[in-house]
Each structure stands twice: as structure tokens, then as C-alpha cells.
Amino acid sequence: MTYRRGAVIPSAVILFILLSASYVYAGSSSENLLYIYSGGRKIGYSYDSVKTEGGITEAVEKARIKVRLLDNTGDVETEAHYRLSGGKLLSFDFRFESPSGKVTAGGEREGDTMRVKMKTISGDSEFVFDVPPGLIPASMLPSRLMADSPAAGREYVVPVLDPVTVIAASSPGGFETRHKITGREGVEAPSLGVIDAWRVESVLSGARVTSWITDGGELIKQSIPPGMTALRDESGRVSEDGLSALDIEGATSIPSDVAIKDPRGLVYMKAEIEGISPEDGFDLSDAYRQSFDGKYVSIRAGDTSSVKSYKLPNTEPEFVPYLASENLIQSGDEKIVSKSREILGGEEDSLKAVRMLNGWVFTYLRKTGTAGIPNAKDVLKTGSGDCNEHSALFAALARAAGIPTKTVSGTIYLDGRFYYHAWNEVYVGEWVAVDPTFGQVPADATHLKLVEGDLNKSSVIMNAAGKINLKILEASSNEIRK
């Protein structure tokens, strides 16, 4: 089978957007149910409830979607429970489950911090984050927006807790969500007719979402990237009958106007980009591989024969962020460190070490579509995954060896289309793009970088899904790549 990795947009991020969509008025007791559609087909639902009794507020958020990645189809589900007192978040419990595995996490407040304990297939871990003032679950967001005299043009910044964001963050934080009320308009939903509601434009974990909310805090409709719509249902009964699978590859891939005969050997590509805006937050230019002038992007694969590699480990202060251990890239873990040393066998040349680690990950991991939260320790144990898992494991092994390593997301050309994809960049004397999914050092020039950063940053790509258009102007494979 030709390995085709479709969406780097992980189902975890899509589920975060759906959970954040679970707006409900936080009165003494309330429920909210929305069904999610893609291309007119029902693919899942989002449900929440909020109940206050004896001064304690309990909020529950659930979401489920059916997804198809590569040859795999299955349900992805999240469930979160929150406890608050006097508007202060006290604790939460979270579960993420898919055919690829299960992640659970629980947080308990300790003063102005939250201590989180997480459990995955590879074991338990623990971390702490600072709780910003006014932090709330997504299900209580409309009460914050609607309680303060909503009017067209008003803008709000609200800290919202999403457990996926907390787990996936390279450093704790990133709770800020932004909202702007753009006006009132009639919106139609099945069985409800036309409802007069406020239109709210929001930025949630980097993704742009449009909601229609009544004065009473009822969410009637929501537009969610990539091309999904959530519609309110008044039955109050969750039904999982007749769910269709969201084809993430189909929903997010970009057709190419040019057939590239040897994409893995491409060393230079120039393309015209349409459908994105500066506000989307893309990283389209860097100082070493990719440049963008506002309309045209140029990419060079690079020639590693001229790289002046160094002796490991790298100890330069400027690279500390790219050597750090993270929640999902556990470069300091004993098993990760041991495996990295085993693979390298004492090799101290930075470029040679990258080739060895990249080749090992490429060979070791079984290529399969996954719908989960990529965790380097889990990937090392299971030995399988898609581009997210390859990227996470390579980053952990490389950082453990003292090689500054980034995770990046963007698109790659395969079989006549550009698919969303994840890979890495390493500093080996200069920054070089590498792709452990395809075993490439350097990565070919069809790797169009859109964002740098952890799993949360990849949700920014959702802003372009279904809108971005690429016109290939030049493509060359004539140069020699070392």
C-alpha cells in the first residue's frame, strides 16, 4: 500500500473545537445537544450539562465523532467533568478514547495552581500549571458572553480550560480564547425554524469558529473547520444511529494543478498561495528553507553536503527550547534516553546522528492511520502510527541525544494532491527539515511548512482547510541531494 497520510489535523484538535462549541447557559440546571454534520451527513454529536446545587457547579461535556483516516474508521470520544465553587475551578476529570488508545487525566486545584495526573498506555505522568483568574470550562462560556450586555462590535477575551490543550502544550498555558459579536441575524435549524440570535466570531486554540447564540445562551448553529456544522437538537436524547465517518483526508486535502512525477526527489518548488490571510497565524517564512512574499512561496530542500555538523550534545543557550522535554515529547524519559543511546551507539556527529535516528524511526514504526494524541512514550511502546507519531518519537529521541528539534506541520504532495502532514526540523549546524515518516534527510521540497510548534499550534491549520489553493509555478528535481 502506498502510504498516504492525510490530515495532520488531529482528531484530538477537532474534538477540542467541538467541545468548545458546546455552549450552554450556566443557570441552575441546563442541557445542550448538538449534532455535527459534514457535507450534509451526520458525523457525531456534542452534549453538555451544567448543574448548580449547594454552591457547587458541576459541568459535563461529551463529544463523539466518527472519523476515517487512511484505511481505518472508528469513533473518537471525549468526556470531561468539572467542579466549580463561587466561579472558581476546583477540579476536572477527562477521558479521550479512540481505536488508537485511551488517555485519562485529572486535575486538582492547589492554591493558584492545578496539579494534573495523566495516564496513557505507557504509564503515568504528572505536571502542574498556573490557573489564570476566571478560568472556566467551555460549557460555561456563553454565560460569560451573554451576561455583560451583548452588542454588535463588543469583544471578549475569556480563559477557557480544554484538557486536550493542557495535555498537548509544550508548556502549560494557552487558555485565552477571543470572541467578537458581529451582530444579530436569523438562523435556521431543523425543527426550530428561524431563530433570532447573536452571531459570534471566535478564535479557539487558533481555529476560527462562528456561532449563533440566543440571548438566553442557547447555541443554535455553529460553523466549525474543516467544513463542519453543528446544529441544535431539542429532543434531549443522544442518538448514535446512522453516523457517517468524517473523511479527514477528503475534507482537508488540496488538489494540485500540476502532476509532480518525482515528488520525493523534488529539491525546489515555487507556488502561488490563495485562500489564507495574515490573521491565520501561519509560519510561511524562515531564514533557511522557505520564503513567502505575500503571494508566492518558494521552498528549497537544501544540500546537507555543505552542513558543518558539530559534536553532540548541543549546549548553546539559544537552543534550549528545542531540547526541552514536554508532556508528549518526553526526551528526558529513561526509556527514551536509553533507546536514543542504543540507536546511536556512541555516534557524536550531529548530522550522522540525525540520519541514524530518522532511519530507525522510519523502519521501526508501522505506518497506520491514527486518531489520537501523539505521545512519544506511547509510540515507542506500540511501534505504530501516522506522521504525528513519527514526528513525536523522532523529536523525543533527537532531543535526548542533544539535537535541537522542532515539530512542524504543513502539506506534502502525494498522488496528485497536497495532504496535511507533520515532520521535523533539526539543528545540525544549520536548520534542516527531515521527515521520519518517509525516511528523508533532508525532506523534499513538496513539504510546505505552515506552522511550527506543538500539537495545539497545528489547529491553526484548520483555518485554511477547504479554503487554501496552491498553483505550482516551478518544480525541479535536477539538483543533487546529499
Side-chain angles (χ1 to χ4, degrees):
M1 180 187 73
T2 300
Y3 179 65
R4 298 200 326 172
R5 170 56 172 124
V8 69
I9 301 173
S11 298
V13 175
I14 293 178
L15 264 293
F16 163 62
I17 300 301
L18 296 180
L19 281 173
S20 300
S22 306
Y23 296 159
V24 60
Y25 180 76
S28 58
S29 181
S30 55
E31 292 183 304
N32 209 37
L33 171 64
L34 296 95
Y35 283 108
I36 296 96
Y37 299 84
S38 176
R41 296 175 294 111
K42 186 191 297 184
I43 61 169
Y45 65 85
S46 176
Y47 166 84
D48 59 49
S49 66
V50 176
K51 181 179 181 180
T52 300
E53 186 175 337
I56 299 295
T57 297
E58 296 185 352
V60 177
E61 300 171 343
K62 300 180 181 180
R64 180 191 294 267
I65 58 172
K66 185 180 290 292
V67 299
R68 182 167 64 252
L69 281 171
L70 298 179
D71 298 325
N72 297 335
T73 298
D75 292 335
V76 182
E77 180 181 5
T78 65
E79 181 172 348
H81 296 251
Y82 306 88
R83 294 180 69 251
L84 301 92
S85 177
K88 179 183 291 188
L89 183 64
L90 302 178
S91 65
F92 74 88
D93 289 289
F94 172 74
R95 175 179 62 86
F96 178 99
E97 194 163 358
S98 77
S100 306
K102 181 178 180 180
V103 177
T104 61
E108 293 286 340
R109 188 166 187 138
E110 299 177 351
D112 292 329
T113 66
M114 187 78 70
R115 182 171 297 277
V116 181
K117 297 180 179 181
M118 181 171 67
K119 181 185 292 291
T120 71
I121 190 173
S122 61
D124 300 342
S125 59
E126 186 173 316
F127 59 93
V128 176
F129 68 84
D130 294 329
V131 180
L135 183 66
I136 59 173
S139 50
M140 299 179 67
L141 182 56
S143 63
R144 185 69 58 86
L145 300 179
M146 295 293 108
D148 190 19
S149 304
R154 294 210 62 176
E155 298 184 21
Y156 306 83
V157 178
V158 183
V160 172
L161 173 63
D162 168 64
V164 173
T165 300
V166 171
I167 291 171
S170 55
S171 59
F175 304 109
E176 183 179 279
T177 65
R178 294 183 174 273
H179 314 269
K180 181 177 181 178
I181 298 177
T182 60
R184 293 187 71 92
E185 59 187 49
V187 59
E188 187 172 0
S191 76
L192 296 176
V194 178
I195 304 294
D196 189 40
W198 292 104
R199 179 183 173 117
V200 182
E201 303 286 347
S202 302
V203 178
L204 307 169
S205 190
R208 298 182 181 278
V209 176
T210 303
S211 308
W212 288 265
I213 309 172
T214 67
D215 290 313
E218 296 175 323
L219 177 65
I220 305 301
K221 180 180 178 181
Q222 191 160 56
S223 175
I224 313 162
M228 295 182 290
T229 301
L231 295 172
R232 184 177 182 83
D233 184 89
E234 289 292 315
S235 68
R237 181 179 63 87
V238 175
S239 173
E240 300 179 10
D241 297 336
L243 292 184
S244 299
L246 170 64
D247 180 2
I248 297 184
E249 288 185 89
T252 60
S253 64
I254 306 165
S256 176
D257 65 324
V258 172
I260 301 176
K261 294 182 180 180
D262 181 24
R264 302 292 72 84
L266 208 70
V267 297
Y268 176 74
M269 185 178 76
K270 181 178 181 180
E272 181 180 352
I273 300 183
E274 297 177 341
I276 62 175
S277 65
E279 293 77 19
D280 289 330
F282 294 120
D283 301 315
L284 288 168
S285 289
D286 55 41
Y288 43 90
R289 180 179 183 270
Q290 182 171 304
S291 61
F292 180 62
D293 63 6
K295 184 175 183 180
Y296 302 106
V297 61
S298 296
I299 306 165
R300 294 186 182 276
D303 181 0
T304 57
S305 65
S306 62
V307 171
K308 296 180 180 180
S309 58
Y310 55 87
K311 182 179 178 180
L312 295 175
N314 188 303
T315 58
E316 298 177 67
E318 64 183 289
F319 297 111
V320 168
Y322 309 112
L323 292 166
S325 186
E326 303 173 7
N327 291 341
L328 300 180
I329 300 176
Q330 306 94 331
S331 55
D333 176 76
E334 180 180 346
K335 291 182 179 179
I336 294 288
V337 172
S338 176
K339 178 57 67 175
S340 180
R341 289 174 177 169
E342 176 188 327
I343 296 166
L344 295 181
E347 179 60 63
E348 295 182 328
D349 180 86
S350 59
L351 181 56
K352 291 179 180 178
V354 163
R355 292 189 184 280
M356 294 171 71
L357 293 170
N358 187 78
W360 185 88
V361 173
F362 171 70
T363 303
Y364 173 67
L365 293 189
R366 179 172 58 90
K367 277 60 175 170
T368 180
T370 59
I373 302 174
N375 178 321
K377 288 174 60 178
D378 290 356
V379 179
L380 182 62
K381 183 172 183 176
T382 63
S384 65
D386 58 29
C387 64
N388 291 303
E389 282 70 29
H390 284 69
S391 176
L393 180 57
F394 174 82
L397 293 169
R399 290 182 183 182
I403 304 168
T405 306
K406 300 177 183 178
T407 55
V408 301
S409 304
T411 68
I412 184 176
Y413 179 92
L414 285 166
D415 302 330
R417 302 182 73 87
F418 282 86
Y419 292 88
Y420 288 97
H421 187 61
W423 61 96
N424 301 95
E425 292 179 349
V426 292
Y427 186 80
V428 289
E430 61 186 66
W431 285 104
V432 175
V434 300
D435 190 339
T437 305
F438 289 93
Q440 290 187 312
V441 181
D444 66 73
T446 74
H447 288 69
L448 168 61
K449 179 170 63 176
L450 294 177
V451 296
E452 296 180 4
D454 57 34
L455 179 65
N456 290 329
K457 189 69 182 294
S458 69
S459 64
V460 173
I461 294 180
M462 297 182 72
N463 296 324
K467 297 186 297 182
I468 191 171
N469 182 58
L470 293 175
K471 182 179 180 180
I472 308 302
L473 303 178
E474 297 180 43
S476 172
S477 57
N478 295 329
E479 300 173 30
I480 299 175
R481 301 165 73 225
K482 301 292 185 180

